């Protein structure tokens, strides 16, 4: 689905481990869009965490363009050069600065091939970029609106200009360290004239400050060499501003302004004077999240304001109507300057395209760009993942689907809302608990789909200040189900609640565990717009963790940098915060599954402008802590740490830019990015031996089978070749991926995953010896080989097909599809597009690896799909029948090959002795007998797939069809299959006798041929 990310590892794991995206395909927030004037069906979008995507069919399908090139995933702005549509600029770092889900960017990127490849152009410290504008005549003259860091003042703000395609930059407009450019527009009739909207702002963990002396509108008429601030008719104190020039009337300029006298403003004299034309509150509500205006390119009186919903005015801004769209919360709109009916829209549900001026839109359920806060998993088969998607809903999604991929039928909602944490009993996920804003908690009953509100203290908190509330709840409210008693729930605000009756009643079991700073519990916004209790509520508990060993031990972490522990079920609490931590977000706590005294903290201070990765470890119940984050990139702040439940000290970390692992309890970290795109990883969990990641912009990802990392952890050194103990595998068929426009999540590999490590010396020896191979054999319980494979150093595709085992230094992976050795048909037959073997039954098999003189073996358990409830005994009849059919099919193919060989030799002899009439005459009846025999046994007239409906199928195809039918249906074997095989055996018995008779033809000219045939032992046993 996406180009492999370009990351290097200290350990060569790329061939053994691979992430797969399972979806769900329900679009997440898109903050930037662009179209191509000369390509009517091509549009681009930039996701908040998900990178850049392209559609070539007006939104029917989307393809990622940025994987492997961008170092961060959040896109703030996109622009395509009108003079050269192959030139695309992307400014990273979304401008909609959510407190709970905003990722920083790393500057500007340029593509010269329409997004096929990208080059970094610097400006990394701008953090958030709101707009990129390109001179319509010169693709190398480009302007960037740098909004700057939302968290702390920084000098890398304002407007930047490049005249050489981004190779160098000049900061042509700078107001102050707290004021960045929230928007930028260019006069299409004169690209030297630009208008910049500057925003004085800062987001704190408890408040969004929007507005100040730095906010204003600035204009240049000389391409940025000089600027003047526009003020006539504008409010004195302004917050965020969006601005647009009317292409239909360039003297008309629109501005949507956050102010006490705010609303939609219009200038008729290119910005010299302004008047308010619409004072409705809606266009400027929640200004920090919206405040964008777009002018229609042909109609000067038509203008759009991007908000919730999409607003359109056709009377010069005096009144607005609502435009129906697939989703709400709109952030960017591009309208074709030549054909205004062509437009692309970005909102919190993804990106959508309209070709009829907004009357209808393409679907947004074909983009895997969801922003998920957390992830947990149950123990079903297949296991399901649970999480809440920003501005969508909660999701329970299967880890593999039934129809070739994971589609809409494989996921459902489970109560709660967009910002939930989710809890359940993994062994019995019939009840699911999910939180929501303001402390709402629901119980979802899967059987009845009933959702029950079990809120601890039902109060509508929106519109109130946190200090006036009984309880302060975090935006991402924690809730867990006890590992020791599924009736017990824990829930948290600024203190901890416990329920012993599944939420019917709640008790406070802790005092306030936060810093409780009243001065940080007031209005969530100002000085112009308040932001009510919700995302801005501070001094709250963010995470809870219960000990797997002791029901009385519970950890709690807060958004203001405190950690508390109770070991007596909440009677007493001890402050165990790491020394000198200060204010910070304790985002997750992992109570070790191996040691009751050990816990891991994922802490970050990004909301204070500090992106340093922080992982803290205690091995004595918090009495002492050690910071262990060596090896993690300096700006990859950490969101989650998990310990492998099967391997003590093997840790996984989710960070702002990807994933890491540690083999030594966190002392040294290594990248585990592999093919995972650059995306914030918000949470991790280990499920059924897989590593699962939730991301902020790319949905859920699964790293299948952690066996290689677990085995490497157990190895004293990596100087020797070894074969990993394979984990249990299941006889599950996922089906072929359908050829459909529906976008599907990726299923795991089908079969048994076999891993082996080749030492550098062994790999070098294989490369130096031309014919040296490695061998992998699968043996049944009787020691009989059911499959044999080999690997050899090669460069051509034919060799890869013949020698499929990888032979590179490091960890290697091979997927055994659970099938026995495939039978090779005669080369003259059209190759049927089906497997000519069958799946083995449940049981214990031996995997044997041979590398030169070195050998190793491991046992492998093959189990049936546990949902079917079948035993090994149930498979005995089916496997016996399949083996019998397989042997008969092999005999047919062998006989057919022998007949072809006899025919070739007869024809060759006749040609060689063409002057001898008796030889030619003797050949004719033999060749006719062979032709008649082949006509009954194999169908040689089939030359392509369409011929399967033109010519009758013969014995070989009938046996193959029966084997496939019996293999795919599974036990018990139907009576029809048994009867059909008896008939085919009888048919083969006659054909077999005829083959033996033909092979023994006593024609003097063919005595040598007959002897040769007899030497092959063409008898009933192998015929």
């Amino acid at each position: 689905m996406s180009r492999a990310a370009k990351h290097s590892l200290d350990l060569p794991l790329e061939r053994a481990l691979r992430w797969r995206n399972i979806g769900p395909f329900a679009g997440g927030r898109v903050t930037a869009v662009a179209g191509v004037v000369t390509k009517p069906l091509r549009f681009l979008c930039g996701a908040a965490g998900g990178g850049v995507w392209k559609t070539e069919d007006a939104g029917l399908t989307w393809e990622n363009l940025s994987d492997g090139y961008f170092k961060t995933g959040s896109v703030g702005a996109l622009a395509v050069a009108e003079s050269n549509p192959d030139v695309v600029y992307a400014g990273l770092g979304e401008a909609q600065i959510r407190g709970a889900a905003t990722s920083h960017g790393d500057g500007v990127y340029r593509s010269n091939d329409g997004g096929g490849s990208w080059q970094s152009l610097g400006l990394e410290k701008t953090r958030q970029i709101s707009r990129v504008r390109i001179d319509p005549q010169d693709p190398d003259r480009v302007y960037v609106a740098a909004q700057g860091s939302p968290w702390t003042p920084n000098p890398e703000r304002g407007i930047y200009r490049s005249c050489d395609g981004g190779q160098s930059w000049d900061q042509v407009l700078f107001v102050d360290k707290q004021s960045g450019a929230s928007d930028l527009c260019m006069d299409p009739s004169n690209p030297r004239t630009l208008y910049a909207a500057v925003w004085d702002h800062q987001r704190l963990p408890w408040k969004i400050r929007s507005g100040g002396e730095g906010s204003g509108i600035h204009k240049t008429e000389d391409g940025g060499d000089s600027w003047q601030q526009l003020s006539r008719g504008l409010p004195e104190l302004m917050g965020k501003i969006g601005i647009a020039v009317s292409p239909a009337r360039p003297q008309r300029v629109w501005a949507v302004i956050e102010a006490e006298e705010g609303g939609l403003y219009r200038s008729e004299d290119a910005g010299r004077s302004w008047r308010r034309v619409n004072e409705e509150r809606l266009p400027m509500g929640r200004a920090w999240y919206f405040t964008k205006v777009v002018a229609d390119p042909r109609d000067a009186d038509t203008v759009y304001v991007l908000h919730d919903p999409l607003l359109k005015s056709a009377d010069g801004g005096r009144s607005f109507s609502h435009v129906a769209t697939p989703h709400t919360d709109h952030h960017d709109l591009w309208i074709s300057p030549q054909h205004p009916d062509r437009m692309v829209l970005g909102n919190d549900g993804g990106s959508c395209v309209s070709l009829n001026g907004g009357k209808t839109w393409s679907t947004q359920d074909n983009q895997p760009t969801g922003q998920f806060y957390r992830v947990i998993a149950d123990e079903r088969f297949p296991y399901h993942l649970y999480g809440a998607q920003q501005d969508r809903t909660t999701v329970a999604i299967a880890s593999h689907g039934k129809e070739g991929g994971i589609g809409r039928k494989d996921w459902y909602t489970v109560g709660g809302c967009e910002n939930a944490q989710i809890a359940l009993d993994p062994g019995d996920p019939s009840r699911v608990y999910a939180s929501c804003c303001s402390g709402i908690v629901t119980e979802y009953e899967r059987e009845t789909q009933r959702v029950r509100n079990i809120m601890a203290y039902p109060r509508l908190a929106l519109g109130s200040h946190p200090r006036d509330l009984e309880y302060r709840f975090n935006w991402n409210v924690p809730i867990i189900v006890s590992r020791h008693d599924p009736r017990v729930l824990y829930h948290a605000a600024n203190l901890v609640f416990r329920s012993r009756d599944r939420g019917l009643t709640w008790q406070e079991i802790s005092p306030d565990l936060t810093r409780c700073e009243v001065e940080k519990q007031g209005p969530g916004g100002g000085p112009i717009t308040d932001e009510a209790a919700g995302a801005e509520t501070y001094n709250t508990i963010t995470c809870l963790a219960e000990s797997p060993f002791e029901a009385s031990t519970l950890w709690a972490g807060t958004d203001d940098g405190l950690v508390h522990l109770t070991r007596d079920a909440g009677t007493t609490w001890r402050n165990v915060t790491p020394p000198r931590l200060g204010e910070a977000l304790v985002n997750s706590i992992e109570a070790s599954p191996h040691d009751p005294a050990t816990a891991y903290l994922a802490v970050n201070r990004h909301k204070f402008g500090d992106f340093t990765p922080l992982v803290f470890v205690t091995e004595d119940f918090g009495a002492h802590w050690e910071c262990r984050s060596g090896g993690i990139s300096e700006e990859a702040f950490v969101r989650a740490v998990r310990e492998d439940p099967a391997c003590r000290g093997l840790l996984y970390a989710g960070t702002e830019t990807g994933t890491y692992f540690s083999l030594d309890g966190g002392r040294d970290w290594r990248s585990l990015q592999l093919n995972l795109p650059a995306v914030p990883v918000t949470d991790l969990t280990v499920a059924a031996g897989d590593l699962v990641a939730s991301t902020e912009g790319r949905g859920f990802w699964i790293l299948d089978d952690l066996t290689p990392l677990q085995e490497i952890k157990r190895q004293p050194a990596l100087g020797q070749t070894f074969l990993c103990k394979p984990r249990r595998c299941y006889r599950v068929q996922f089906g072929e991926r359908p050829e459909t426009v529906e976008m599907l999540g990726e299923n795991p590999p089908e079969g048994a995953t076999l891993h082996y490590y080749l030492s550098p010396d062994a790999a070098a020896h294989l490369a130096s010896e031309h014919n040296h191979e490695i061998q992998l054999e699968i043996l049944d319980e009787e020691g009989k080989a059911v499959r044999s494979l080999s690997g050899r150093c090669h460069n051509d595709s034919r060799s890869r097909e013949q020698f499929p085992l990888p032979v590179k230094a490091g960890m290697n992976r091979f997927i055994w599809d659970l099938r026995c050795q495939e039978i090779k048909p005669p080369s003259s037959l059209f190759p049927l597009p089906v497997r000519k073997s069958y799946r083995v039954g449940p049981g214990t098999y031996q995997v044997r690896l041979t590398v030169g003189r070195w050998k190793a073996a491991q046992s492998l358990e093959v189990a049936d799909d546990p949902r079917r409830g079948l035993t090994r005994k149930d498979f005995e009849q089916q496997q016996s029948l399949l083996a019998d059919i397989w042997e008969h099919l092999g005999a047919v193919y062998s006989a057919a090959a022998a007949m072809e060989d006899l025919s070739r030799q007869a024809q060759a002899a006749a040609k060689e002795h063409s002057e001898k009439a008796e030889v030619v005459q003797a050949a004719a009846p033999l060749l006719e007998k062979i032709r008649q025999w082949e006509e009954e046994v194999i169908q040689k007239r089939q030359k392509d797939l369409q011929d399967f409906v033109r010519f009758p199928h013969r014995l070989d195809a009938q046996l193959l069809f029966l084997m496939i039918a019996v293999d795919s249906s599974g036990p018990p074997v139907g009576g029809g299959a048994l009867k059909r095989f008896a008939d085919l055996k009888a048919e083969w018995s006659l054909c077999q006798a005829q083959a033996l008779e033909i092979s023994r033809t006593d024609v003097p000219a063919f005595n040598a041929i007959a002897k040769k045939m007899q030497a092959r032992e063409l008898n009933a046993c192998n015929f």
Side-chain angles (χ1 to χ4, degrees):
M1 182 181 59
S2 62
R3 189 183 295 104
K6 300 175 182 176
H7 293 277
S8 60
L9 294 173
D10 295 330
L11 293 171
L13 295 169
E14 295 92 338
R15 292 176 306 279
L17 293 170
R18 181 181 176 277
W19 292 93
R20 61 181 171 95
N21 180 218
I22 71 164
F25 280 78
R29 186 162 73 255
V30 164
T31 50
V33 295
V36 181
V37 175
T38 57
K39 301 286 186 180
L41 301 182
R42 179 185 294 178
F43 300 90
L44 304 178
C45 75
V52 175
W53 297 73
K54 177 182 72 172
T55 178
E56 295 279 7
D57 49 23
L60 192 64
T61 58
W62 292 87
E63 171 195 7
N64 184 273
L65 299 179
S66 55
D67 286 355
Y69 295 100
F70 289 9
K71 294 180 181 178
T72 57
S74 177
V75 182
L78 285 173
V80 179
E82 290 187 31
S83 58
N84 183 352
D86 286 334
V87 175
V88 184
Y89 291 89
L92 270 60
E94 62 168 313
Q96 290 72 26
I97 52 173
R98 292 190 66 90
T102 290
S103 176
H104 66 274
D106 65 299
V108 179
Y109 287 79
R110 171 174 168 153
S111 174
N112 293 320
D113 53 11
S117 60
W118 298 84
Q119 174 191 3
S120 175
L121 302 179
L123 299 184
E124 292 88 349
K125 298 300 182 182
T126 55
R127 298 303 185 193
Q128 323 294 135
I129 292 175
S130 63
R131 286 290 191 197
V132 174
R133 298 296 186 188
I134 308 170
D135 188 312
Q137 282 83 45
D138 182 0
D140 289 337
R141 189 176 183 90
V142 59
Y143 299 85
V144 169
Q147 189 168 283
S149 170
W151 313 113
T152 55
N154 68 312
E156 295 85 3
R157 299 174 185 257
I159 304 298
Y160 288 83
R161 180 186 65 195
S162 175
C163 298
D164 55 11
Q167 298 306 305
S168 62
W169 296 95
D170 294 317
Q171 189 182 31
V172 294
L173 176 63
F174 174 75
V175 175
D176 60 54
K177 291 183 179 181
Q178 297 190 124
S179 304
S182 60
D183 208 351
L184 177 68
C185 65
M186 178 181 288
D187 184 342
S189 66
N190 180 7
R192 293 297 187 268
T193 297
L194 297 97
Y195 301 84
V198 176
W199 183 25
D200 189 336
H201 72 289
Q202 183 179 4
R203 178 173 277 285
L204 300 167
W206 53 89
K207 185 176 183 178
I208 170 74
R209 183 184 61 76
S210 178
E213 293 182 359
S215 290
I217 300 175
H218 299 253
K219 178 182 179 181
T220 178
E221 294 180 331
D222 51 17
D225 291 338
S226 62
W227 296 79
Q228 76 175 105
Q229 185 168 355
L230 308 177
S231 59
R232 185 178 175 186
L234 295 176
E236 183 175 346
L237 175 65
M238 294 185 286
K240 192 176 182 183
I241 303 167
I243 194 162
V245 175
S246 171
R249 190 185 301 168
Q251 294 294 104
R252 173 172 284 185
V253 187
W254 303 94
V256 58
I257 299 174
E258 177 192 15
E260 289 295 335
E261 305 84 23
L264 182 65
Y265 281 71
R266 192 176 74 198
S267 172
E268 299 291 353
D269 53 10
R272 285 189 291 274
S273 62
W274 298 82
R275 69 183 181 91
R276 184 165 62 165
V277 294
N278 189 296
E279 56 187 68
E280 295 177 26
R281 297 191 61 83
L282 180 57
M284 65 169 182
R286 298 192 81 201
W288 62 268
Y289 199 46
F290 299 110
T291 318
K292 285 288 172 70
V293 59
V294 177
D296 187 278
R298 294 293 183 90
D299 184 351
D301 284 332
T302 297
V303 65
Y304 297 84
V305 172
L306 280 71
H307 210 279
D308 175 19
L310 177 62
L311 302 172
K312 178 181 180 180
S313 173
D315 57 7
R318 288 188 294 274
S319 64
F320 283 99
S321 61
H322 296 184
V323 179
T325 58
H327 202 82
T328 58
D329 291 359
H330 304 289
H331 303 298
D332 201 10
L333 175 67
W334 180 89
I335 305 174
S336 171
Q338 297 179 355
H339 304 283
D341 281 349
R342 287 182 56 233
M343 52 180 64
V344 58
L345 175 67
N347 55 47
D348 273 9
S351 184
C352 53
V353 171
S354 178
L355 301 179
N356 56 13
K359 295 183 179 67
T360 59
W361 301 87
S362 63
T363 181
Q364 294 181 278
D365 290 337
N366 57 3
Q367 303 153 46
T369 52
Q371 296 177 299
F372 282 86
Y373 288 96
R374 308 273 179 167
V375 63
I376 61 171
D378 63 23
E379 295 174 356
R380 279 188 280 174
F381 186 90
Y383 63 85
H384 282 58
L385 310 182
Y386 299 78
Q389 181 179 347
Q390 167 62 35
D391 215 62
R392 285 275 188 166
T393 184
T394 53
V395 169
I397 184 169
S399 55
H400 65 72
K402 298 185 281 289
E403 298 177 1
I406 303 165
R408 183 61 186 89
K409 292 181 288 187
D410 298 304
W411 59 271
Y412 56 92
T413 62
V414 290
C417 67
E418 59 172 323
N419 55 315
Q421 290 194 38
I422 298 178
L424 48 78
D425 175 6
D428 178 20
S430 58
R431 288 187 175 92
V432 181
Y433 301 91
S435 59
C436 189
C437 54
S438 304
I440 296 172
V441 178
T442 64
E443 179 191 62
Y444 170 82
E445 191 173 66
R446 196 173 78 213
E447 183 177 353
T448 63
Q449 299 185 20
R450 174 174 175 259
V451 177
R452 180 169 64 98
N453 189 322
I454 56 171
M455 195 172 182
Y457 188 78
R459 172 172 176 170
L460 183 61
L462 295 177
S464 302
H465 296 154
R467 63 188 170 211
D468 298 328
L469 299 173
E470 290 79 9
Y471 305 109
R472 297 185 304 278
F473 290 96
N474 191 263
W475 173 251
N476 187 222
V477 184
I479 183 168
I480 60 175
V481 173
S482 173
R483 305 169 187 243
H484 307 281
D485 184 348
R487 296 169 300 179
V488 175
L489 311 179
Y490 294 100
H491 175 40
N494 52 305
L495 50 79
V496 180
F497 299 96
R498 180 180 60 210
S499 173
R500 298 184 185 274
D501 50 18
R502 294 193 173 99
L504 185 62
T505 59
W506 295 90
Q507 301 83 39
E508 299 178 10
I509 64 167
S510 81
D512 190 325
L513 299 181
T514 74
R515 297 180 188 270
C516 193
E517 302 153 291
V518 177
E519 67 276 12
K520 298 177 181 178
Q521 299 168 16
I528 301 168
T529 307
D530 192 6
E531 186 74 8
E536 320 313 322
T537 303
Y538 193 59
N539 300 142
T540 65
I541 296 174
T542 51
C543 53
L544 297 171
E546 184 188 42
S547 168
F549 301 94
E550 305 164 349
S552 58
T553 297
L554 189 70
W555 302 78
T558 70
D559 61 358
D560 53 15
L562 297 180
V563 181
H564 285 81
L565 171 69
T566 179
R567 299 196 62 193
D568 54 14
T571 302
T572 58
W573 291 82
R574 182 162 56 97
N575 186 334
V576 294
T577 305
R580 298 178 299 281
L581 177 60
E583 281 190 281
L585 171 62
V586 183
N587 201 63
S588 77
I589 302 176
E590 171 80 344
S592 171
H594 300 283
D595 175 25
T598 297
Y600 306 90
L601 304 181
V603 180
N604 67 73
R605 304 191 73 254
H606 76 279
K607 294 187 178 184
F608 298 94
D610 181 0
F611 294 171
T612 304
L614 298 172
V615 176
F616 289 91
V617 183
T618 181
E619 295 173 348
D620 54 10
F621 292 105
H624 301 87
W625 293 92
E626 182 180 353
C627 185
R628 300 178 184 174
S629 54
I632 300 178
S633 296
E634 62 180 11
E635 291 198 344
F637 61 84
V638 184
R639 293 177 178 265
V641 175
R642 305 296 176 204
E643 186 172 22
D644 194 307
C647 197
R648 182 171 184 172
L650 175 56
L651 304 182
Y652 309 103
T655 77
E656 186 64 3
T657 57
T659 53
Y660 291 79
F661 75 102
S662 173
L663 297 168
D664 55 8
R667 294 174 180 84
D668 179 52
W669 292 90
R670 304 164 190 252
S671 173
L672 194 57
Q673 199 70 6
L674 303 166
N675 63 308
L676 185 70
V679 63
V681 175
T682 55
D683 200 5
L684 297 168
T685 190
V686 177
D690 302 334
L691 182 61
V692 177
S694 61
T695 71
E696 188 180 286
R698 294 296 286 272
F700 292 124
W701 291 70
I702 297 177
L703 185 65
D704 291 299
D705 196 353
L706 294 168
T707 300
L709 294 177
Q710 295 165 348
E711 197 66 40
I712 289 172
K713 171 75 172 93
R714 299 183 184 108
Q715 291 291 324
L718 290 177
Q720 301 296 321
T721 296
F722 61 86
L723 173 65
C724 296
K725 172 74 171 70
R727 66 176 181 177
R728 176 193 296 161
C729 67
Y730 295 91
R731 298 175 79 258
V732 178
Q733 288 184 297
F734 302 130
E736 294 294 327
R737 195 175 182 89
E739 295 183 4
T740 173
V741 295
E742 181 189 5
M743 303 296 287
L744 299 174
E746 185 180 355
N747 274 335
E750 189 175 305
T753 305
L754 309 176
H755 294 103
Y756 52 91
Y757 178 86
L758 292 181
S759 68
D761 289 344
H765 181 65
L766 288 168
S768 64
E769 295 289 335
H770 179 65
N771 291 318
H772 202 64
E773 302 175 2
I774 64 172
Q775 298 288 334
L776 184 68
E777 296 173 284
I778 312 294
L779 312 176
D780 63 17
E781 291 178 339
E782 297 176 356
K784 177 183 176 183
V786 297
R787 190 73 178 270
S788 180
L789 301 136
S790 59
R792 179 188 293 180
C793 290
H794 48 68
N795 295 314
D796 60 283
S797 58
R798 182 178 299 179
S799 295
R800 280 193 291 272
E801 190 174 314
Q802 186 178 358
F803 304 101
L805 296 181
V807 291
K808 299 292 186 180
M811 192 65 71
N812 293 275
R813 180 179 81 161
F814 180 77
I815 307 298
W816 175 40
D817 57 10
L818 303 185
R819 293 182 179 274
C820 62
Q821 203 74 27
E822 188 166 286
I823 304 170
K824 298 295 182 184
S827 58
S828 62
L829 295 183
F830 180 77
L832 291 166
V834 293
R835 301 300 302 269
K836 297 161 187 70
S837 60
Y838 62 91
R839 293 178 301 157
V840 301
T844 302
Y845 295 81
Q846 187 180 62
V847 180
R848 189 164 65 194
L849 180 67
T850 302
V851 183
R853 297 181 179 179
W854 178 90
K855 292 185 178 182
Q858 295 280 6
S859 63
L860 165 66
E861 181 185 355
V862 176
D864 189 43
D865 187 331
R867 295 168 294 186
R868 289 158 38 111
L870 298 174
T871 65
R872 289 179 59 179
K873 188 173 181 60
D874 295 327
F875 281 86
E876 290 178 359
Q877 182 192 32
Q878 186 224 27
Q879 288 293 305
S880 176
L881 176 60
L882 286 169
D884 210 356
I885 299 171
W886 183 84
E887 289 178 5
H888 278 73
L889 180 61
V892 169
Y893 282 158
S894 295
M899 289 294 103
E900 288 184 356
D901 189 29
L902 180 60
S903 177
R904 281 193 297 269
Q905 294 185 58
Q907 293 178 57
K911 183 177 181 181
E912 181 181 353
H913 302 287
S914 58
E915 72 283 358
K916 298 179 181 180
E918 68 276 11
V919 175
V920 177
Q921 292 172 1
L926 176 59
L927 291 172
E928 177 60 21
K929 287 181 181 180
I930 294 174
R931 188 195 67 77
Q932 292 179 0
W933 184 89
E934 289 180 332
E935 183 64 26
E936 292 296 322
V937 178
I938 57 178
Q939 181 54 268
K940 302 187 75 171
R941 289 184 290 171
Q942 293 175 343
K943 302 301 181 183
D944 56 46
L945 289 174
Q946 296 303 316
D947 285 343
F948 289 119
V949 298
R950 296 182 60 199
F951 303 112
H953 297 285
R954 299 307 186 194
L955 181 60
D956 66 322
Q958 298 295 344
L959 283 166
L960 182 57
F961 175 78
L962 180 61
M963 183 172 70
I964 292 171
V966 174
D967 181 31
S968 60
S969 63
V973 177
L978 295 172
K979 185 177 186 302
R980 178 59 173 154
F981 184 53
D983 292 342
L984 291 175
K985 280 200 301 183
E987 185 179 339
W988 168 237
S989 181
L990 294 175
C991 294
Q992 180 188 52
Q994 292 170 4
L996 288 170
E997 180 182 348
I998 294 170
S999 69
R1000 293 168 182 161
T1001 301
D1002 189 15
V1003 179
F1006 300 106
N1007 279 339
I1009 297 174
K1011 290 179 181 179
K1012 185 175 181 180
M1013 295 292 294
Q1014 291 167 3
R1016 292 187 179 188
E1017 298 180 351
L1018 296 174
N1019 49 44
C1021 183
N1022 64 9
F1023 227 33

